[in-house]
Amino acid sequence: MDESRKRPRDRGPLSREDVTADSPFTLPGFFAELAEGRLTGAACSDCGHAMVPPRPACYACGSRAVAVEKQPRAGEVVSYTAVHTPPPAFEARAPYTVGVVELASGARLTGRVDADYDAVAIGDPVELTVRDPGDAELAAALDHETDWPIHVFEVR
Amino acid sequence: MPEPRIVAVGTSPIGRTDLTGRDLFSAALAEAFEGLPDPAEVVEALYAGNQSETYEHQIMQGTLLAEWAGLRNVPAERVEGCAAAGALALRHAVEDVRRGTHDAVLACGVEKMTAGGTAGATDALSAAFDRALEQRSGITAPSQYALLAQRYLHEHDATEADLARIAVKNHRNGAANPRAQFDREVDLDAVLESEYVAPPLKLFDCAPVSDGAAAVLVATPEVADALVAREAQTVAAGVGAAANNVAVAERDLTFVEGANVASETAYGEAGVDPADVDLAEVHDAFTVCEALLAEAAGFAPRGRGYESALDPGERSEGWTDVRLSTSGGLKARGHPIGATGLAQAVEAHEQLTGRAGGRQVEGADTALLLNEGGVADAVTVAHVLRRAA
């Protein structure tokens, strides 16, 4: 096992050696964790703010004292809409519902919502799930993205 | 510090055209330099606002447009910030003149959006969203703004009809603007009966896909006075810019903080208050944006920005008397992405020099420009323009 795998993931990547493709602070590392069913985020040690995906600095206070923290999958819908005019890669799925979800940690992220637009409301409880990308999504993926899972919120 | 003046402005036709990007620029430049010496005798540097190379498979826009203007071996570069590219170009020109780096700088913007059809524009614009989570969720520009609109209607005492009234007002303004892409008015029913693009936003809540270019010449007072009469000049009195997060989910959905910071900065530099602003060109890519920006700019109380469609006397207490989007806004004048921020400056310049024809705001002295890129306040650029005489 190389050195980077042994290093505890309790702080942001403050040295160049910390920035590796298996660190959740990078997108390859974040999606590798997600593919295994683990949703990771960063929590700011100074102000407590939670962010998904993890990143090297807190956007709420500017601190780089951020630590990787497993995120809850449960959250609630903050806003939502339906996409009627999709990008080419998503044509077959339209119309589909997308939303902004706030997780129980306070982190907010956008994702598809696996429900009809009319069946969703602000405040609905949802849970994050992951699946492999479909054929059209794979066709639109860049070479380094083909193993990255797609996250979808299911209404609970 | 020299006080930058806007000396001359021009636009190309805006809408679906058979012209390419460089041709559109030629048209805008021709109007701006009518009656002036050749650009090579005046312009010391060029900034070109341009959203995407995917439309025409062309980068190097700085070099290309400088060449088309007859400028050789001067600093020239493209600036990019999605739909804020035009105002970013203007900001660079203003800052260069302030610092004394150059005496005259050409800010221009161009976009040939119709090149790839609606699907091409949808795809090119989606590059402005976060690749990791937003793009891979199939998000589009209308759906991003629909997330803001849905939350706005949820939190405030506003309806889809209130947003539709903003579209009606801006089409009415656009019909009085010879530069506008759309020359006809629409009524409330037409907006409300148009198809949902991303609920609660309908087709008529959205700015169109447009080809177009704009050019704005910024210079020192000495150069400006040597070129045109003082009455034909305006002053770039204040500038502000702010980058917020890329992902919409991580921003305040009902208060565009970045736009608030940018406009407060520009007000501070110009020494004006929101109540001093006579007219504002705001980034109404979608109707809800005008409501949000009216609040962020300090024109309207929180939750009442949607009343921008009403005449000043009919608005809630706490509103200023500002007129919004007198050009027709992005909604009706058109939205050629990289040129939009400069098209806003063109409208304000015409208003402040008393040349806005049938849409003239009487006694207009001070204008605010708010140009945004990405979604909402991912990046915002604000300019305060004032009469020079």
Side-chain angles (χ1 to χ4, degrees):
Chain A
M1 183 179 274
D2 68 25
E3 279 303 306
S4 65
R5 286 178 185 276
K6 284 188 243 167
R7 187 172 295 123
R9 289 166 172 166
D10 60 354
R11 66 189 184 101
L14 293 177
S15 77
R16 202 167 65 174
E17 289 70 30
D18 292 338
V19 184
T20 61
D22 63 355
S23 161
F25 280 110
T26 66
L27 287 181
F30 168 75
F31 281 112
E33 293 279 330
L34 191 61
E36 297 297 319
R38 292 185 293 272
L39 178 66
T40 54
C44 178
S45 305
D46 286 334
C47 77
H49 197 73
M51 298 163 274
V52 173
R55 68 207 72 182
C58 174
Y59 68 81
C61 75
S63 171
R64 293 199 295 161
V66 286
V68 169
E69 190 176 83
K70 190 163 180 275
Q71 295 295 302
R73 292 163 165 276
E76 66 173 53
V77 174
V78 175
S79 191
Y80 68 103
T81 185
V83 178
H84 288 259
T85 54
F90 296 83
E91 239 153 41
R93 295 175 184 270
Y96 49 90
T97 308
V98 294
V100 169
V101 168
E102 182 168 316
L103 301 175
S105 62
R108 284 186 172 196
L109 69 158
T110 292
R112 264 176 266 178
V113 180
D114 188 22
D116 287 342
Y117 173 78
D118 291 332
V120 178
I122 288 174
D124 278 356
V126 293
E127 185 158 322
L128 184 141
T129 63
V130 293
R131 61 165 174 77
D132 292 334
D135 290 344
E137 290 161 336
L138 274 178
L142 300 168
D143 284 353
H144 62 269
E145 297 171 337
T146 52
D147 291 335
W148 295 3
I150 303 290
H151 68 290
V152 178
F153 291 104
E154 287 181 359
V155 180
R156 293 160 74 202
Chain B
M1 193 168 71
E3 182 185 63
R5 303 273 179 83
I6 291 177
V7 179
V9 301
T11 64
S12 70
I14 297 171
R16 288 183 183 277
T17 74
D18 52 6
L19 299 175
T20 69
R22 67 188 73 182
D23 305 321
L24 295 162
F25 168 72
S26 293
L29 186 77
E31 186 195 348
F33 276 79
E34 196 179 338
L36 296 184
D38 286 340
E41 294 177 38
V42 179
V43 176
E44 297 179 2
L46 176 146
Y47 294 99
N50 181 244
Q51 177 224 336
S52 180
E53 60 272 22
T54 61
Y55 298 119
E56 296 187 275
H57 201 261
Q58 180 73 66
I59 57 175
M60 298 299 290
Q61 292 284 352
T63 299
L64 178 63
L65 301 188
E67 186 183 334
W68 249 238
L71 306 171
R72 194 176 175 90
N73 290 330
V74 301
E77 64 192 66
R78 169 192 176 189
V79 292
E80 187 275 315
C82 197
L88 286 169
L90 180 59
R91 173 175 176 271
H92 286 306
V94 167
E95 297 285 11
D96 278 2
V97 170
R98 278 181 172 176
R99 278 195 299 266
T101 309
H102 300 295
D103 290 337
V105 182
L106 185 64
C108 55
V110 61
E111 215 72 61
K112 173 67 179 171
M113 291 182 77
T114 63
T118 304
T122 300
D123 205 43
L125 287 167
S126 74
F129 315 142
D130 168 53
R131 178 72 181 173
L133 298 182
E134 291 184 328
Q135 287 187 40
R136 297 172 75 255
S137 298
I139 280 280
T140 57
S143 56
Q144 292 276 38
Y145 285 93
L147 293 170
L148 305 185
Q150 185 88 277
R151 189 73 201 181
Y152 189 86
L153 298 185
H154 174 75
E155 286 187 18
H156 300 308
D157 179 28
T159 64
E160 291 183 32
D162 289 319
L163 297 181
R165 284 187 191 92
I166 295 173
V168 171
K169 185 262 294 176
N170 287 353
H171 270 276
R172 188 167 64 237
N173 288 348
N177 181 2
R179 297 183 193 274
Q181 178 167 351
F182 297 123
D183 59 3
R184 64 188 177 90
E185 300 190 17
V186 299
D187 63 24
L188 190 63
D189 286 344
V191 180
L192 287 173
E193 288 165 12
S194 63
E195 283 184 19
Y196 280 113
V197 174
L201 297 180
K202 295 167 283 291
L203 182 65
F204 275 74
D205 286 295
C206 312
V209 167
S210 315
D211 302 337
V216 172
L217 178 62
V218 181
T220 60
E222 292 71 26
V223 170
D225 285 339
L227 292 173
V228 301
R230 185 68 57 86
E231 292 72 24
Q233 304 172 20
T234 50
V235 177
V239 187
N244 209 290
N245 281 24
V246 171
V248 163
E250 295 178 335
R251 289 185 260 136
D252 188 329
L253 299 182
T254 55
F255 185 69
V256 278
E257 179 186 77
N260 178 251
V261 170
S263 47
E264 296 267 326
T265 304
Y267 290 150
E269 285 192 1
V272 301
D273 291 321
D276 298 324
V277 177
D278 301 301
L279 64 114
E281 286 289 300
V282 300
H283 198 87
D284 61 321
F286 298 87
T287 48
V288 68
C289 305
E290 187 169 300
L292 289 166
L293 290 169
E295 295 170 29
F299 301 142
R302 289 286 292 271
R304 292 285 172 185
Y306 66 87
E307 293 173 349
S308 69
L310 304 179
D311 286 332
E314 299 170 5
R315 296 167 181 163
S316 293
E317 193 180 340
W319 255 94
T320 74
D321 289 342
V322 67
R323 300 281 179 169
L324 285 119
S325 307
T326 53
S327 69
L330 283 58
K331 176 75 196 79
R333 182 198 58 238
H335 185 23
I337 307 287
T340 281
L342 293 157
Q344 293 181 326
V346 170
E347 171 68 10
H349 185 75
E350 290 194 320
Q351 289 280 357
L352 297 174
T353 54
R355 296 182 294 184
R359 63 191 193 287
Q360 181 67 47
V361 176
E362 288 308 317
D365 178 74
T366 303
L368 176 73
L369 313 178
L370 273 180
N371 187 201
E372 294 184 321
V375 179
D377 56 342
V379 62
T380 311
V381 185
H383 284 89
V384 171
L385 303 188
R386 306 202 69 174
R387 291 176 70 96

